[in-house]
Amino acid sequence: MSNEFIAIGHIQDIPRRGARCINTAFGRIAVFRTAEDDVFAMDDRCPHKGGPLSQGLVHGRAVTCPLHNMVISLESGEALGADEGEVRTYPVRVDDGQLSIALSALPLAAE
């Protein structure tokens, strides 16, 4: 599949240290904005008990799940500290404030 990106909104749509979700046919993707205006995207589901990561606390380049305080790296999707687990991440780019996500990263119906 190509490296095409599709527009998903504007960086100003997401508060600093917050998240917004996009719904796909294959589940919700949380798009996070850090205090430094870096943007990351991952499945909106904690690997521990399926908590909504988009409702968690964003700190640095990590998010803490609101259910049981599992800390997930926004960069890698991996659990930090003593916790184990991983969340699927998606490439996002920002171009003049416009957010886009890589089409090739989205799950395919054939998978």
Side-chain angles (χ1 to χ4, degrees):
M1 188 175 259
S2 69
N3 288 330
E4 289 184 58
F5 281 72
I6 56 169
I8 57 171
H10 195 275
I11 193 168
Q12 297 301 327
D13 297 336
I14 306 171
R16 283 192 172 102
R17 295 182 9 202
R20 292 291 182 263
C21 290
I22 55 173
N23 292 311
T24 73
F26 311 102
R28 287 168 53 101
I29 297 173
V31 183
F32 298 90
R33 179 182 178 189
T34 68
E36 295 78 26
D37 292 332
D38 294 318
V39 179
F40 300 93
M42 63 177 51
D43 287 335
D44 188 28
R45 184 174 169 78
C46 180
H48 177 230
K49 297 266 185 179
L53 293 175
S54 60
Q55 296 176 25
L57 175 66
V58 175
H59 47 97
R61 290 174 168 258
V63 61
T64 298
C65 179
L67 295 186
H68 301 100
N69 296 323
M70 184 178 227
V71 179
I72 306 292
S73 166
L74 294 173
E75 295 173 298
S76 68
E78 295 178 6
L80 301 176
D83 292 322
E84 294 183 9
E86 189 172 354
V87 179
R88 183 174 179 167
T89 60
Y90 302 92
V92 177
R93 69 180 183 199
V94 183
D95 186 25
D96 288 330
Q98 180 68 42
L99 302 175
S100 301
I101 193 166
L103 278 175
S104 60
L106 297 177
L108 299 175
E111 289 185 339

